[in-house]
Amino acid sequence: MEQVEHAAQTPLHTVVSDFKQRIGWYISVRWLFLASVALPNLILQFLLPSANIPVVRNLLITIAFVVYNLFFIWALRHIKHKRSLTQFAIFQIILDVVTALYLVFTNGGIESHAVMLLIIPILCSGVLWSKFIMHIVAGLVGISYSVLVTLMLYGIITGPISTEGYSRHDVTGFASTLMFIVSILQVIAFIGGFIINLLRHQSNEIKHARHKASELAGKQIQDAEADRVRTEALIDSIGEGLIVVNEYGNVTDLNIAAEHVLGYKKEEMLGKWWPEAVKALDVEGKIIGPIDRPLVKALETGKPVSRKLAYVSKKGEAIPVFQTAAPFLIGDKPAGGVIVFRDNSQEIKIEQAKDEFISIVSHQLRTPLTAIRLFTEMILQGQVGSLKPEQTDYLNKIEESTIRMIQLVGTILNVSRIEMGRLKVTSVPTSLVQLIDTWVAETKPLADEKKVKIVFRSPRTAIPEVNIDPSLIGEVIHNLLTNAIRYSPGEKGVIEIDLTKDQHGYLISVKDNGIGIPEHEKPKIFTRFYRAQNAVAAVGEGTGLGLYLVKMITKQAGGKVWFESKEGKGTTFYVRIPSSGMKSKAGDRSLASGGKL
Ligand code: ADP
């Protein structure tokens, strides 16, 4: 029953191979039996030569048995179908029984030990089919054996060795021996059946467990595959480029967007070390060394690193991107990283077009504004007749506004020129002391107007000349000075300028005791068009472009600008220029005359 159930659930090929395996086992049992009968026989031959064991005959039987078993092995290999296998197994059982009976016949009938050979087909029928079949086989074998030995007893058939121990007249002795042997065959079938059942039960349980385990493993594999497909779909659906690396920085995955931007196929990238697989350039176009790559830094520090850079695509094009490299941890150990990047080329093109537009518009505005200023001045000078005081007053206001407009346009032009990289830098040896002096003198009228004092202490040690573009650095000093004046508290205002030189370069500081910069606005102060609330309240006019320009120029000079400030107390701006000075740079525009408003 159990077997039927199992067969119903198990695929046919498994049933066939199972049955085939059992027949194979049957064949091996025959080898075992052969060895356990033939070997003692041979040994006995040497130990007891007087026993008159028919060596040649036994040897021939053994050889015949080997051939017989080899034939079965060969035949088993070629049988494929379940039905043929069953027939093959039945054939073997019958052949084994007949062989055993023949040996019984040739070896003294009921007295022959060859009766033992009958045990093999009985047990094997149990293994091959069921306990029930085994009992039937045991019964049939018992009957055949009984008929054979009885016929021999009565001399109806005679074997080469006569049944010596029993006479036809001692029927009781013969019958009880026969009964004993037949019942032993049944007992063996019973014990064999019990053991087989037990083993089968265990093997079924093992099979069941194995089946369950393989089912579970299959499900896990399926789940993992589903997870993989889901993750892949997710990664590919992201519009931004995405690279996944292991803890060593070797690429383990990338999405379609990354393939598209970089021009590499996934297969080309997998396993490669990211900092070498795709080169990166900084904003100035210089190659970023592997150790300075954001990913390496992120893996080192365990913190995300965001940066603007350009990746060199497979075609060799520099593609500007904004990227973030972030490590991911398993427990507290870095297990890899993710790089997400956005192609900025389009935005940069739009930005450039915008800058170009501003530059053209500002340039076009300057000419009519200059003309207005010129003609206003001429009228004010009385070149077209004398003016009424009211007219003079209005014309002064027109001139003032025009000057302010010219300055604003100049500043915007300068910002756009420097942003577009079109500004020419002409570095010449310059005395910073003289340059500061010039700008102090230049801004003096404004300071006087506000009653602010400007103090420039001459440096204690001689300051050597430095290679700079005086118009650009002059613009920086001018902006810082005018800011200090504008945001100073009037009469009590004192502006101190300092110039020092150390191993880092030249340091200019401009200190005022004005309105200061509110703490929360400090981070935004160098941003384009940004003005702090207190500055807007104190001075209505202003563009928020001066400091941005200062920052751009100092950056161009390879220097740095920063400040210290306390709201209501004052501010100090610092500008550092490297000892090596500024590098000259070709460009089609020089600084437009702008200045502070
Ligand atoms: P603007 O002076 O035209 O507003 P800037 O770019 O020169 O633009 O300066 C940006 C902002 O920085 C100012 O609006 C002001 O809030 C702040 N700032 C600059 N210099 C000073 C200073 N010396 N004292 C206080 N605030 C300052």
Side-chain angles (χ1 to χ4, degrees), residues 479-488 510-518 521 524-536 539-550 563 565-566 570-573 596-597:
N479 269 286
L480 295 181
L481 260 176
T482 41
N483 271 351
I485 297 167
R486 286 180 348 137
Y487 302 117
S488 275
V510 180
K511 184 179 175 193
D512 66 56
N513 54 349
I515 59 172
I517 300 168
E521 306 203 63
K524 296 177 228 158
I525 227 69
F526 288 106
T527 317
R528 250 196 308 195
F529 300 114
Y530 192 81
R531 302 196 70 211
Q533 279 309 313
N534 61 342
V536 174
V539 184
E541 296 126 5
T543 58
L545 282 173
L547 282 185
Y548 178 68
L549 196 64
V550 165
F563 65 88
S565 182
K566 216 169 175 114
T571 309
T572 309
F573 273 90
K596 286 304 281 193
L597 305 178

Side-chain angles (χ1 to χ4, degrees), residues 395-470:
L395 280 171
N396 273 331
K397 286 203 168 80
I398 292 175
E399 191 189 23
E400 214 173 274
S401 296
T402 313
I403 291 172
R404 208 176 291 144
M405 283 268 272
I406 292 171
Q407 284 172 338
L408 173 64
V409 169
T411 310
I412 293 177
L413 258 180
N414 286 338
V415 167
S416 82
R417 279 173 190 174
I418 204 161
E419 275 180 343
M420 285 160 67
R422 290 172 69 174
L423 201 67
K424 185 162 60 181
V425 180
T426 318
S427 262
V428 288
T430 310
S431 157
L432 281 173
V433 179
Q434 265 178 31
L435 192 68
I436 296 169
D437 272 338
T438 311
W439 281 105
V440 169
E442 192 83 16
T443 45
K444 195 155 184 313
L446 187 68
D448 289 346
E449 200 182 297
K450 259 204 109 177
K451 298 198 174 66
V452 172
K453 220 171 106 191
I454 303 180
V455 183
F456 174 40
R457 279 186 227 106
S458 288
R460 270 180 242 133
T461 51
I463 304 280
E465 288 191 333
V466 57
N467 259 334
I468 51 161
D469 184 323

Side-chain angles (χ1 to χ4, degrees), residues 460-507:
R460 270 180 242 133
T461 51
I463 304 280
E465 288 191 333
V466 57
N467 259 334
I468 51 161
D469 184 323
S471 63
L472 291 177
I473 299 300
E475 183 69 17
V476 169
I477 299 166
H478 176 215
N479 269 286
L480 295 181
L481 260 176
T482 41
N483 271 351
I485 297 167
R486 286 180 348 137
Y487 302 117
S488 275
E491 272 176 36
K492 286 185 195 133
V494 180
I495 296 164
E496 292 169 53
I497 307 173
D498 256 325
L499 171 67
T500 50
K501 163 126 189 15
D502 59 17
Q503 77 268 30
H504 302 297
Y506 301 84
L507 183 71

Side-chain angles (χ1 to χ4, degrees), residues 152-286:
M152 285 178 80
L153 181 76
Y154 286 100
I156 299 167
I157 49 167
T158 42
I161 300 167
S162 65
T163 315
E164 281 167 10
Y166 299 98
S167 81
R168 263 167 256 167
H169 309 291
D170 185 14
V171 178
T172 332
F174 174 80
S176 63
T177 308
L178 186 61
M179 280 309 292
F180 174 72
I181 291 172
V182 170
S183 18
I184 283 291
L185 290 180
Q186 280 300 336
V187 168
I188 284 170
F190 180 76
I191 297 171
F194 181 73
I195 294 168
I196 287 165
N197 254 6
L198 203 74
L199 291 177
R200 198 166 276 161
H201 180 72
Q202 270 183 359
S203 120
N204 272 348
E205 263 183 9
I206 290 170
K207 262 189 210 155
H208 188 68
R210 240 190 243 158
H211 183 68
K212 270 260 138 85
S214 80
E215 235 179 38
L216 202 74
K219 195 166 169 338
Q220 274 172 352
I221 291 172
Q222 243 179 21
D223 284 355
E225 180 60 14
D227 260 5
R228 193 188 65 77
V229 171
R230 234 192 328 264
T231 313
E232 200 109 304
L234 194 80
I235 286 178
D236 281 342
S237 67
I238 302 171
E240 306 198 326
L242 190 130
I243 312 280
V244 186
V245 298
N246 63 15
E247 69 264 48
Y248 308 108
N250 296 336
V251 178
T252 58
D253 207 350
L254 65 152
N255 69 351
I256 295 175
E259 282 184 328
H260 188 73
V261 173
L262 302 172
Y264 289 103
K265 286 259 146 261
K266 192 172 186 167
E267 304 76 58
E268 296 174 83
M269 295 291 295
L270 290 182
K272 294 215 173 123
W273 194 49
W274 171 247
E276 252 169 20
V278 174
K279 297 259 171 298
L281 311 173
D282 62 16
V283 277
E284 270 137 33
K286 282 190 226 120

